[in-house]
Amino acid sequence: MRKKSPKLVPLSPVPLYNQLKELLRGQILDGSYPPLSRMPSENELGNAYQVSRITVRQALNDLQKEGLIFKIHGKGTFVAKPKTFQNVSTLQGLAESLSQLGYEVINRVHSFKTVTANTMVAQRLQMAEGTKVTEIKRVRLINREPVSLEVSYLPLALGEKLEKADLITRDIFLILENDCHINLGHAELAIDAVLAESELTHALHIEEGSPIMRIERLTHSDDGTPVDFEYLYYRGDAFQYRLRIDRQRHERPLAGHGGLAP
Amino acid sequence: MRKKSPKLVPLSPVPLYNQLKELLRGQILDGSYPPLSRMPSENELGNAYQVSRITVRQALNDLQKEGLIFKIHGKGTFVAKPKTFQNVSTLQGLAESLSQLGYEVINRVHSFKTVTANTMVAQRLQMAEGTKVTEIKRVRLINREPVSLEVSYLPLALGEKLEKADLITRDIFLILENDCHINLGHAELAIDAVLAESELTHALHIEEGSPIMRIERLTHSDDGTPVDFEYLYYRGDAFQYRLRIDRQRHERPLAGHGGLAP
């Protein structure tokens, strides 16, 4: 079937900005506007579709919120790159998972220190509040671009071994397995969305209020001991989690997944 | 071990606002400030911790971005409710999953119509671009609060059956299984974070620029036919996905998960 030539319908119950947004979204997703190309200006779009500049601005504003385009002051509006994605159907570190796909993953270690476990960390790692733990903050760069800030808490005995390891190029998961001889079992994840606050704006070179996909991840060894509790903050404009979920009539009891419950 | 009495360290390399933020976060998470309680004012916090109002404001600002507190103009700052979470280790509809936990899930059907499949929808549902499909927009309310906007695309033959079904209280998944006699197989999900744009602000009663967890979900019948392609937009301040991921040495080939690849 041939693609209809794009036009807006002034008398439609769907507002014009919404029609324009859908139309431009389609053209971005089908490659008519390729990644990193410059979009037409507000004036050009207004003339092309016979709508006001306010209508164009609202449509572009919405597409920017969705992460499909970005603006550079004084330069115009550009099409965003497709997001990098990690397949999380199995538990893997970022480098382990992405290097298979030809990406380069490097880490900047922002801090490595011994801290006192707060309520949350102590509960997750099943230790008394106030116990000393290792805290590691790393910025992860995919193809040289900062994509996530990861804050990891581990028991001190493991932290001491990590201190000697190459945290710049290696995943913590692989160091735990290969250097610390811990077989990893499963992880419990909680995923939500927040806005970038001050620490994230600096670490990831993004504006305050940018969208962040936040993951709380508690990783266990294969005997069920919690070994690594992490907060992962991914740039919403650059990264995506993908997974496959199966329909099962007789699902596992919920109790088996309760590790992150408060 | 006894909890230390909270205090800030002026000479620490960690900025004061950051120390205050961590301290308040701890008190929120351990229940010292319970959900929906009012936080002390900026002045009160400034006096209590001997820091400037700017420092207090920065700390509160960051906690608000994280979704731990919210402000009501003229009333003060309040502790957010814990997020509702859905366990997505198995494929279930929202009502199916949450009603087991005692939540009431109701849907507002915003629109139900026949539209022309755009590039993305056509590709996902494996049909020619321009084919007619059913588009359903629903706002989902958990315990009477709007939590997500869901936009579903289905082949017209299924859409016609859904039109006669009770979309207010029933999940589409259960209608597909019980009324349409389709056995669901698996779904492929892509998860990221975006900011709320105009349609979402209206549908979910949130401010423009609020954090949104966005899911693209393509659900297949058990013979592998794609039957339901959806965009799910969850309020970042109210909702969380949880899942368990297992470490497997010999992971499934990536090709098996490629359904959402562009």
Side-chain angles (χ1 to χ4, degrees):
Chain A
M1 195 171 287
R2 280 199 57 228
K3 208 166 157 178
K4 282 189 206 152
S5 68
K7 60 184 174 209
L8 308 186
V9 186
L11 294 178
S12 158
V14 179
L16 280 170
Y17 79 84
N18 225 329
Q19 295 183 46
L20 180 59
K21 175 171 70 171
E22 293 303 326
L23 197 153
L24 294 175
R25 185 199 283 125
Q27 292 175 337
I28 291 169
L29 294 176
D30 74 11
S32 303
Y33 294 118
L36 299 184
S37 68
R38 205 172 76 87
M39 299 284 291
S41 70
E42 290 180 4
N43 271 335
E44 287 163 346
L45 287 170
N47 291 334
Y49 295 104
Q50 290 295 301
V51 291
S52 75
R53 209 160 154 167
I54 293 174
T55 299
V56 173
R57 201 168 294 159
Q58 174 76 69
L60 292 178
N61 193 19
D62 279 8
L63 291 171
Q64 188 178 11
K65 291 213 157 52
E66 258 187 72
L68 282 174
I69 60 174
F70 61 95
K71 289 176 185 164
I72 300 182
H73 187 71
K75 302 256 175 175
T77 304
F78 297 83
V79 178
K81 282 192 298 184
K83 299 182 183 188
T84 305
F85 64 90
Q86 182 181 5
N87 186 318
V88 294
S89 291
T90 59
L91 180 63
Q92 291 193 312
L94 192 69
E96 185 183 4
S97 175
L98 291 187
S99 61
Q100 298 167 355
L101 303 172
Y103 291 99
E104 175 205 69
V105 178
I106 296 187
N107 314 310
R108 265 190 215 133
V109 180
H110 269 218
S111 65
F112 190 114
K113 53 187 178 187
T114 302
V115 300
T116 302
N118 66 20
T119 315
M120 186 73 117
V121 171
Q123 194 217 315
R124 297 292 189 255
L125 292 178
Q126 294 176 12
M127 48 179 59
E129 205 173 321
T131 307
K132 298 286 180 196
V133 293
T134 298
E135 180 199 77
I136 307 171
K137 292 191 181 184
R138 293 175 304 158
V139 171
R140 314 207 65 172
L141 296 94
I142 300 177
N143 292 349
R144 314 284 161 103
E145 251 197 305
V147 167
S148 75
L149 173 69
E150 310 200 354
V151 186
S152 308
Y153 295 95
L154 302 105
L156 218 50
L158 293 177
E160 281 163 6
K161 292 190 185 154
L162 287 174
E163 201 161 8
K164 294 172 203 129
D166 167 20
L167 287 166
I168 310 285
T169 65
R170 294 177 72 198
D171 287 336
I172 288 182
F173 281 179
L174 291 180
I175 301 174
L176 289 177
E177 289 192 324
N178 297 330
D179 301 15
C180 306
H181 309 293
I182 291 174
N183 290 323
L184 297 179
H186 73 280
E188 283 141 0
L189 278 75
I191 308 173
D192 59 15
V194 297
L195 301 179
E197 36 69 281
S198 44
E199 186 174 6
L200 286 168
T201 60
H202 293 125
L204 301 179
H205 304 164
I206 51 178
E207 284 180 24
E208 197 165 327
S210 299
I212 296 287
M213 177 170 76
R214 177 174 62 176
I215 319 284
E216 250 181 71
R217 183 169 68 186
L218 178 62
T219 301
H220 304 256
S221 64
D222 64 356
D223 67 3
T225 312
V227 290
D228 183 10
F229 176 59
E230 296 167 298
Y231 295 97
L232 319 177
Y233 301 90
Y234 292 98
R235 274 173 52 182
D237 65 335
F239 201 80
Q240 210 177 46
Y241 259 15
R242 293 197 187 169
L243 71 155
R244 176 192 158 116
I245 305 180
D246 290 296
R247 181 95 173 145
Q248 292 170 355
R249 297 314 131 112
H250 308 287
E251 62 277 349
R252 288 176 281 193
L254 268 173
H257 303 293
L260 281 180
Chain B
M1 193 174 288
R2 278 199 61 228
K3 208 165 158 178
K4 282 188 207 155
S5 68
K7 60 183 172 209
L8 308 187
V9 186
L11 294 179
S12 159
V14 179
L16 280 170
Y17 79 83
N18 226 330
Q19 295 184 45
L20 181 59
K21 176 170 72 171
E22 293 303 326
L23 198 153
L24 294 175
R25 185 199 282 125
Q27 292 175 336
I28 291 169
L29 293 176
D30 74 10
S32 303
Y33 294 117
L36 300 185
S37 68
R38 205 171 77 88
M39 299 284 290
S41 70
E42 290 179 5
N43 271 335
E44 287 164 346
L45 287 170
N47 290 335
Y49 294 104
Q50 290 297 301
V51 290
S52 74
R53 208 161 154 164
I54 293 174
T55 299
V56 173
R57 201 168 292 160
Q58 175 75 72
L60 292 178
N61 194 17
D62 279 7
L63 291 172
Q64 188 178 11
K65 291 215 158 48
E66 258 187 72
L68 282 174
I69 61 175
F70 61 94
K71 288 177 184 161
I72 301 182
H73 188 70
K75 303 256 175 173
T77 303
F78 297 84
V79 178
K81 281 192 299 184
K83 299 182 184 189
T84 306
F85 65 91
Q86 181 182 5
N87 185 316
V88 295
S89 291
T90 58
L91 181 63
Q92 291 193 310
L94 191 69
E96 186 185 3
S97 174
L98 290 187
S99 61
Q100 298 166 355
L101 303 172
Y103 291 99
E104 174 205 71
V105 178
I106 296 186
N107 314 309
R108 267 191 213 132
V109 180
H110 269 216
S111 65
F112 191 113
K113 54 188 178 187
T114 302
V115 300
T116 301
N118 65 21
T119 314
M120 187 73 118
V121 171
Q123 193 217 315
R124 297 293 190 254
L125 293 178
Q126 294 176 12
M127 49 179 57
E129 204 174 323
T131 307
K132 298 287 180 195
V133 293
T134 298
E135 179 199 79
I136 307 170
K137 291 192 180 184
R138 294 175 303 158
V139 171
R140 315 207 63 171
L141 297 94
I142 300 177
N143 292 349
R144 312 287 160 99
E145 250 197 307
V147 167
S148 75
L149 172 69
E150 311 202 352
V151 186
S152 308
Y153 296 94
L154 302 105
L156 219 50
L158 293 178
E160 281 163 5
K161 291 188 185 156
L162 286 173
E163 200 160 9
K164 297 175 199 123
D166 167 20
L167 287 167
I168 310 285
T169 65
R170 295 177 70 198
D171 286 335
I172 287 180
F173 281 179
L174 292 180
I175 300 173
L176 289 177
E177 290 193 322
N178 297 329
D179 300 18
C180 307
H181 309 292
I182 291 174
N183 290 323
L184 297 180
H186 72 281
E188 282 141 2
L189 278 75
I191 307 174
D192 59 14
V194 296
L195 302 178
E197 36 70 281
S198 45
E199 186 173 8
L200 286 168
T201 59
H202 293 125
L204 302 179
H205 304 164
I206 51 178
E207 283 180 25
E208 199 165 327
S210 299
I212 296 288
M213 177 171 76
R214 176 174 64 175
I215 320 285
E216 251 181 70
R217 184 170 66 186
L218 179 62
T219 301
H220 303 256
S221 64
D222 62 357
D223 66 3
T225 312
V227 291
D228 183 10
F229 177 58
E230 297 167 297
Y231 296 97
L232 318 177
Y233 302 91
Y234 291 98
R235 274 173 51 183
D237 66 335
F239 201 78
Q240 209 177 46
Y241 259 15
R242 293 198 186 170
L243 71 155
R244 176 192 158 116
I245 305 179
D246 290 296
R247 180 94 173 147
Q248 293 169 355
R249 297 315 130 112
H250 308 289
E251 61 276 348
R252 287 176 283 189
L254 268 174
H257 304 293
L260 282 179

PDB file of all heavy atoms in Angstrom, chain B residues 110-137:
ATOM      1  N   HIS B 110     -10.234   6.469  26.930  1.00  0.00           N
ATOM      2  CA  HIS B 110     -10.193   7.813  26.354  1.00  0.00           C
ATOM      3  C   HIS B 110     -10.622   7.819  24.898  1.00  0.00           C
ATOM      4  O   HIS B 110     -11.279   8.725  24.440  1.00  0.00           O
ATOM      5  CB  HIS B 110      -8.781   8.411  26.491  1.00  0.00           C
ATOM      6  CG  HIS B 110      -8.608   9.172  27.750  1.00  0.00           C
ATOM      7  ND1 HIS B 110      -7.855  10.304  27.856  1.00  0.00           N
ATOM      8  CD2 HIS B 110      -9.121   8.963  28.988  1.00  0.00           C
ATOM      9  CE1 HIS B 110      -7.900  10.758  29.102  1.00  0.00           C
ATOM     10  NE2 HIS B 110      -8.643   9.957  29.806  1.00  0.00           N
ATOM     11  N   SER B 111     -10.193   6.805  24.153  1.00  0.00           N
ATOM     12  CA  SER B 111     -10.635   6.710  22.765  1.00  0.00           C
ATOM     13  C   SER B 111     -10.514   5.265  22.292  1.00  0.00           C
ATOM     14  O   SER B 111      -9.692   4.490  22.797  1.00  0.00           O
ATOM     15  CB  SER B 111      -9.827   7.649  21.868  1.00  0.00           C
ATOM     16  OG  SER B 111      -8.484   7.252  21.824  1.00  0.00           O
ATOM     17  N   PHE B 112     -11.359   4.905  21.364  1.00  0.00           N
ATOM     18  CA  PHE B 112     -11.382   3.568  20.753  1.00  0.00           C
ATOM     19  C   PHE B 112     -11.685   3.803  19.300  1.00  0.00           C
ATOM     20  O   PHE B 112     -12.791   4.187  18.965  1.00  0.00           O
ATOM     21  CB  PHE B 112     -12.480   2.722  21.410  1.00  0.00           C
ATOM     22  CG  PHE B 112     -12.408   1.265  21.038  1.00  0.00           C
ATOM     23  CD1 PHE B 112     -12.079   0.304  21.987  1.00  0.00           C
ATOM     24  CD2 PHE B 112     -12.662   0.851  19.726  1.00  0.00           C
ATOM     25  CE1 PHE B 112     -12.009  -1.040  21.646  1.00  0.00           C
ATOM     26  CE2 PHE B 112     -12.587  -0.488  19.392  1.00  0.00           C
ATOM     27  CZ  PHE B 112     -12.261  -1.431  20.353  1.00  0.00           C
ATOM     28  N   LYS B 113     -10.683   3.662  18.444  1.00  0.00           N
ATOM     29  CA  LYS B 113     -10.972   3.979  17.049  1.00  0.00           C
ATOM     30  C   LYS B 113     -10.154   3.158  16.058  1.00  0.00           C
ATOM     31  O   LYS B 113      -9.202   2.470  16.442  1.00  0.00           O
ATOM     32  CB  LYS B 113     -10.774   5.475  16.793  1.00  0.00           C
ATOM     33  CG  LYS B 113      -9.449   6.030  17.181  1.00  0.00           C
ATOM     34  CD  LYS B 113      -9.488   7.578  17.051  1.00  0.00           C
ATOM     35  CE  LYS B 113      -8.168   8.174  17.481  1.00  0.00           C
ATOM     36  NZ  LYS B 113      -8.192   9.634  17.539  1.00  0.00           N
ATOM     37  N   THR B 114     -10.570   3.252  14.812  1.00  0.00           N
ATOM     38  CA  THR B 114      -9.856   2.611  13.715  1.00  0.00           C
ATOM     39  C   THR B 114      -8.926   3.652  13.102  1.00  0.00           C
ATOM     40  O   THR B 114      -9.363   4.741  12.752  1.00  0.00           O
ATOM     41  CB  THR B 114     -10.840   2.105  12.657  1.00  0.00           C
ATOM     42  OG1 THR B 114     -11.742   1.192  13.291  1.00  0.00           O
ATOM     43  CG2 THR B 114     -10.103   1.392  11.531  1.00  0.00           C
ATOM     44  N   VAL B 115      -7.634   3.308  13.039  1.00  0.00           N
ATOM     45  CA  VAL B 115      -6.668   4.247  12.460  1.00  0.00           C
ATOM     46  C   VAL B 115      -5.825   3.506  11.418  1.00  0.00           C
ATOM     47  O   VAL B 115      -5.868   2.277  11.313  1.00  0.00           O
ATOM     48  CB  VAL B 115      -5.739   4.858  13.543  1.00  0.00           C
ATOM     49  CG1 VAL B 115      -6.535   5.616  14.600  1.00  0.00           C
ATOM     50  CG2 VAL B 115      -4.864   3.789  14.186  1.00  0.00           C
ATOM     51  N   THR B 116      -5.056   4.282  10.692  1.00  0.00           N
ATOM     52  CA  THR B 116      -4.154   3.725   9.692  1.00  0.00           C
ATOM     53  C   THR B 116      -2.823   3.413  10.378  1.00  0.00           C
ATOM     54  O   THR B 116      -2.263   4.276  11.045  1.00  0.00           O
ATOM     55  CB  THR B 116      -3.937   4.769   8.583  1.00  0.00           C
ATOM     56  OG1 THR B 116      -5.209   5.074   8.019  1.00  0.00           O
ATOM     57  CG2 THR B 116      -3.019   4.236   7.505  1.00  0.00           C
ATOM     58  N   ALA B 117      -2.326   2.200  10.227  1.00  0.00           N
ATOM     59  CA  ALA B 117      -1.066   1.822  10.883  1.00  0.00           C
ATOM     60  C   ALA B 117       0.090   2.650  10.321  1.00  0.00           C
ATOM     61  O   ALA B 117       0.296   2.681   9.113  1.00  0.00           O
ATOM     62  CB  ALA B 117      -0.786   0.337  10.683  1.00  0.00           C
ATOM     63  N   ASN B 118       0.827   3.334  11.201  1.00  0.00           N
ATOM     64  CA  ASN B 118       2.030   4.034  10.737  1.00  0.00           C
ATOM     65  C   ASN B 118       3.180   3.023  10.599  1.00  0.00           C
ATOM     66  O   ASN B 118       3.010   1.821  10.856  1.00  0.00           O
ATOM     67  CB  ASN B 118       2.377   5.202  11.681  1.00  0.00           C
ATOM     68  CG  ASN B 118       2.768   4.731  13.069  1.00  0.00           C
ATOM     69  OD1 ASN B 118       3.155   3.574  13.261  1.00  0.00           O
ATOM     70  ND2 ASN B 118       2.677   5.614  14.039  1.00  0.00           N
ATOM     71  N   THR B 119       4.349   3.514  10.185  1.00  0.00           N
ATOM     72  CA  THR B 119       5.493   2.631   9.915  1.00  0.00           C
ATOM     73  C   THR B 119       5.771   1.684  11.084  1.00  0.00           C
ATOM     74  O   THR B 119       5.934   0.478  10.910  1.00  0.00           O
ATOM     75  CB  THR B 119       6.768   3.489   9.712  1.00  0.00           C
ATOM     76  OG1 THR B 119       6.440   4.569   8.842  1.00  0.00           O
ATOM     77  CG2 THR B 119       7.888   2.667   9.099  1.00  0.00           C
ATOM     78  N   MET B 120       5.835   2.270  12.276  1.00  0.00           N
ATOM     79  CA  MET B 120       6.202   1.520  13.470  1.00  0.00           C
ATOM     80  C   MET B 120       5.171   0.444  13.806  1.00  0.00           C
ATOM     81  O   MET B 120       5.513  -0.727  14.014  1.00  0.00           O
ATOM     82  CB  MET B 120       6.296   2.536  14.619  1.00  0.00           C
ATOM     83  CG  MET B 120       6.811   1.978  15.883  1.00  0.00           C
ATOM     84  SD  MET B 120       8.567   1.664  15.744  1.00  0.00           S
ATOM     85  CE  MET B 120       9.161   2.768  17.028  1.00  0.00           C
ATOM     86  N   VAL B 121       3.911   0.843  13.847  1.00  0.00           N
ATOM     87  CA  VAL B 121       2.845  -0.095  14.210  1.00  0.00           C
ATOM     88  C   VAL B 121       2.762  -1.219  13.181  1.00  0.00           C
ATOM     89  O   VAL B 121       2.660  -2.400  13.527  1.00  0.00           O
ATOM     90  CB  VAL B 121       1.487   0.646  14.326  1.00  0.00           C
ATOM     91  CG1 VAL B 121       0.340  -0.335  14.472  1.00  0.00           C
ATOM     92  CG2 VAL B 121       1.516   1.642  15.490  1.00  0.00           C
ATOM     93  N   ALA B 122       2.841  -0.853  11.903  1.00  0.00           N
ATOM     94  CA  ALA B 122       2.750  -1.845  10.836  1.00  0.00           C
ATOM     95  C   ALA B 122       3.892  -2.855  10.948  1.00  0.00           C
ATOM     96  O   ALA B 122       3.697  -4.066  10.841  1.00  0.00           O
ATOM     97  CB  ALA B 122       2.785  -1.147   9.476  1.00  0.00           C
ATOM     98  N   GLN B 123       5.098  -2.342  11.211  1.00  0.00           N
ATOM     99  CA  GLN B 123       6.252  -3.226  11.303  1.00  0.00           C
ATOM    100  C   GLN B 123       6.113  -4.191  12.479  1.00  0.00           C
ATOM    101  O   GLN B 123       6.348  -5.387  12.362  1.00  0.00           O
ATOM    102  CB  GLN B 123       7.509  -2.373  11.463  1.00  0.00           C
ATOM    103  CG  GLN B 123       8.796  -3.144  11.252  1.00  0.00           C
ATOM    104  CD  GLN B 123       9.869  -2.669  12.210  1.00  0.00           C
ATOM    105  OE1 GLN B 123      10.057  -1.474  12.408  1.00  0.00           O
ATOM    106  NE2 GLN B 123      10.569  -3.611  12.811  1.00  0.00           N
ATOM    107  N   ARG B 124       5.697  -3.658  13.620  1.00  0.00           N
ATOM    108  CA  ARG B 124       5.554  -4.495  14.807  1.00  0.00           C
ATOM    109  C   ARG B 124       4.482  -5.574  14.627  1.00  0.00           C
ATOM    110  O   ARG B 124       4.660  -6.709  15.030  1.00  0.00           O
ATOM    111  CB  ARG B 124       5.184  -3.638  16.031  1.00  0.00           C
ATOM    112  CG  ARG B 124       6.227  -2.612  16.420  1.00  0.00           C
ATOM    113  CD  ARG B 124       7.490  -3.276  16.914  1.00  0.00           C
ATOM    114  NE  ARG B 124       8.395  -2.305  17.490  1.00  0.00           N
ATOM    115  CZ  ARG B 124       9.517  -1.873  16.906  1.00  0.00           C
ATOM    116  NH1 ARG B 124       9.882  -2.344  15.744  1.00  0.00           N
ATOM    117  NH2 ARG B 124      10.271  -0.983  17.510  1.00  0.00           N
ATOM    118  N   LEU B 125       3.357  -5.176  14.040  1.00  0.00           N
ATOM    119  CA  LEU B 125       2.253  -6.136  13.888  1.00  0.00           C
ATOM    120  C   LEU B 125       2.374  -6.935  12.593  1.00  0.00           C
ATOM    121  O   LEU B 125       1.481  -7.696  12.238  1.00  0.00           O
ATOM    122  CB  LEU B 125       0.903  -5.407  13.957  1.00  0.00           C
ATOM    123  CG  LEU B 125       0.539  -4.794  15.327  1.00  0.00           C
ATOM    124  CD1 LEU B 125      -0.800  -4.058  15.256  1.00  0.00           C
ATOM    125  CD2 LEU B 125       0.472  -5.876  16.414  1.00  0.00           C
ATOM    126  N   GLN B 126       3.511  -6.757  11.910  1.00  0.00           N
ATOM    127  CA  GLN B 126       3.786  -7.501  10.670  1.00  0.00           C
ATOM    128  C   GLN B 126       2.673  -7.377   9.653  1.00  0.00           C
ATOM    129  O   GLN B 126       2.115  -8.373   9.181  1.00  0.00           O
ATOM    130  CB  GLN B 126       4.084  -8.977  10.979  1.00  0.00           C
ATOM    131  CG  GLN B 126       5.388  -9.146  11.768  1.00  0.00           C
ATOM    132  CD  GLN B 126       5.648 -10.600  12.177  1.00  0.00           C
ATOM    133  OE1 GLN B 126       4.981 -11.507  11.701  1.00  0.00           O
ATOM    134  NE2 GLN B 126       6.609 -10.790  13.059  1.00  0.00           N
ATOM    135  N   MET B 127       2.304  -6.136   9.375  1.00  0.00           N
ATOM    136  CA  MET B 127       1.300  -5.896   8.339  1.00  0.00           C
ATOM    137  C   MET B 127       1.808  -4.769   7.439  1.00  0.00           C
ATOM    138  O   MET B 127       2.798  -4.121   7.757  1.00  0.00           O
ATOM    139  CB  MET B 127      -0.040  -5.525   8.972  1.00  0.00           C
ATOM    140  CG  MET B 127       0.067  -4.443  10.039  1.00  0.00           C
ATOM    141  SD  MET B 127      -1.534  -3.973  10.768  1.00  0.00           S
ATOM    142  CE  MET B 127      -2.166  -5.517  11.413  1.00  0.00           C
ATOM    143  N   ALA B 128       1.119  -4.569   6.302  1.00  0.00           N
ATOM    144  CA  ALA B 128       1.541  -3.499   5.395  1.00  0.00           C
ATOM    145  C   ALA B 128       1.232  -2.144   6.018  1.00  0.00           C
ATOM    146  O   ALA B 128       0.209  -1.981   6.696  1.00  0.00           O
ATOM    147  CB  ALA B 128       0.815  -3.644   4.060  1.00  0.00           C
ATOM    148  N   GLU B 129       2.134  -1.182   5.784  1.00  0.00           N
ATOM    149  CA  GLU B 129       1.877   0.178   6.239  1.00  0.00           C
ATOM    150  C   GLU B 129       0.582   0.652   5.612  1.00  0.00           C
ATOM    151  O   GLU B 129       0.297   0.367   4.451  1.00  0.00           O
ATOM    152  CB  GLU B 129       3.050   1.074   5.814  1.00  0.00           C
ATOM    153  CG  GLU B 129       3.203   2.303   6.659  1.00  0.00           C
ATOM    154  CD  GLU B 129       4.457   3.093   6.289  1.00  0.00           C
ATOM    155  OE1 GLU B 129       5.487   2.453   5.967  1.00  0.00           O
ATOM    156  OE2 GLU B 129       4.389   4.325   6.313  1.00  0.00           O
ATOM    157  N   GLY B 130      -0.226   1.355   6.407  1.00  0.00           N
ATOM    158  CA  GLY B 130      -1.484   1.861   5.871  1.00  0.00           C
ATOM    159  C   GLY B 130      -2.661   0.943   6.134  1.00  0.00           C
ATOM    160  O   GLY B 130      -3.811   1.329   5.918  1.00  0.00           O
ATOM    161  N   THR B 131      -2.396  -0.299   6.617  1.00  0.00           N
ATOM    162  CA  THR B 131      -3.485  -1.198   6.992  1.00  0.00           C
ATOM    163  C   THR B 131      -4.276  -0.573   8.144  1.00  0.00           C
ATOM    164  O   THR B 131      -3.712   0.121   8.973  1.00  0.00           O
ATOM    165  CB  THR B 131      -2.904  -2.554   7.460  1.00  0.00           C
ATOM    166  OG1 THR B 131      -2.029  -3.042   6.447  1.00  0.00           O
ATOM    167  CG2 THR B 131      -3.998  -3.573   7.709  1.00  0.00           C
ATOM    168  N   LYS B 132      -5.567  -0.807   8.177  1.00  0.00           N
ATOM    169  CA  LYS B 132      -6.381  -0.306   9.283  1.00  0.00           C
ATOM    170  C   LYS B 132      -6.159  -1.164  10.525  1.00  0.00           C
ATOM    171  O   LYS B 132      -6.111  -2.394  10.435  1.00  0.00           O
ATOM    172  CB  LYS B 132      -7.872  -0.335   8.914  1.00  0.00           C
ATOM    173  CG  LYS B 132      -8.243   0.548   7.728  1.00  0.00           C
ATOM    174  CD  LYS B 132      -8.203   2.020   8.117  1.00  0.00           C
ATOM    175  CE  LYS B 132      -8.577   2.894   6.925  1.00  0.00           C
ATOM    176  NZ  LYS B 132      -8.213   4.302   7.156  1.00  0.00           N
ATOM    177  N   VAL B 133      -6.000  -0.495  11.655  1.00  0.00           N
ATOM    178  CA  VAL B 133      -5.851  -1.207  12.936  1.00  0.00           C
ATOM    179  C   VAL B 133      -6.730  -0.528  13.974  1.00  0.00           C
ATOM    180  O   VAL B 133      -7.201   0.590  13.765  1.00  0.00           O
ATOM    181  CB  VAL B 133      -4.384  -1.178  13.445  1.00  0.00           C
ATOM    182  CG1 VAL B 133      -3.461  -1.982  12.549  1.00  0.00           C
ATOM    183  CG2 VAL B 133      -3.875   0.256  13.579  1.00  0.00           C
ATOM    184  N   THR B 134      -6.947  -1.224  15.078  1.00  0.00           N
ATOM    185  CA  THR B 134      -7.693  -0.632  16.185  1.00  0.00           C
ATOM    186  C   THR B 134      -6.722   0.049  17.141  1.00  0.00           C
ATOM    187  O   THR B 134      -5.704  -0.545  17.509  1.00  0.00           O
ATOM    188  CB  THR B 134      -8.476  -1.723  16.949  1.00  0.00           C
ATOM    189  OG1 THR B 134      -9.414  -2.311  16.045  1.00  0.00           O
ATOM    190  CG2 THR B 134      -9.204  -1.145  18.150  1.00  0.00           C
ATOM    191  N   GLU B 135      -7.014   1.285  17.520  1.00  0.00           N
ATOM    192  CA  GLU B 135      -6.200   2.004  18.498  1.00  0.00           C
ATOM    193  C   GLU B 135      -7.060   2.273  19.728  1.00  0.00           C
ATOM    194  O   GLU B 135      -8.134   2.857  19.622  1.00  0.00           O
ATOM    195  CB  GLU B 135      -5.709   3.336  17.913  1.00  0.00           C
ATOM    196  CG  GLU B 135      -4.864   4.143  18.895  1.00  0.00           C
ATOM    197  CD  GLU B 135      -4.761   5.625  18.500  1.00  0.00           C
ATOM    198  OE1 GLU B 135      -5.726   6.387  18.764  1.00  0.00           O
ATOM    199  OE2 GLU B 135      -3.729   6.019  17.940  1.00  0.00           O
ATOM    200  N   ILE B 136      -6.552   1.835  20.880  1.00  0.00           N
ATOM    201  CA  ILE B 136      -7.299   2.050  22.129  1.00  0.00           C
ATOM    202  C   ILE B 136      -6.422   2.845  23.087  1.00  0.00           C
ATOM    203  O   ILE B 136      -5.276   2.461  23.350  1.00  0.00           O
ATOM    204  CB  ILE B 136      -7.675   0.707  22.799  1.00  0.00           C
ATOM    205  CG1 ILE B 136      -8.405  -0.190  21.799  1.00  0.00           C
ATOM    206  CG2 ILE B 136      -8.533   0.938  24.046  1.00  0.00           C
ATOM    207  CD1 ILE B 136      -8.597  -1.619  22.297  1.00  0.00           C
ATOM    208  N   LYS B 137      -6.937   3.969  23.575  1.00  0.00           N
ATOM    209  CA  LYS B 137      -6.204   4.730  24.592  1.00  0.00           C
ATOM    210  C   LYS B 137      -6.959   4.621  25.909  1.00  0.00           C
ATOM    211  O   LYS B 137      -8.137   4.960  25.985  1.00  0.00           O
ATOM    212  CB  LYS B 137      -6.092   6.203  24.188  1.00  0.00           C
ATOM    213  CG  LYS B 137      -5.192   6.442  22.990  1.00  0.00           C
ATOM    214  CD  LYS B 137      -4.890   7.920  22.804  1.00  0.00           C
ATOM    215  CE  LYS B 137      -3.975   8.099  21.586  1.00  0.00           C
ATOM    216  NZ  LYS B 137      -3.567   9.497  21.402  1.00  0.00           N
TER     217      LYS B 137
END
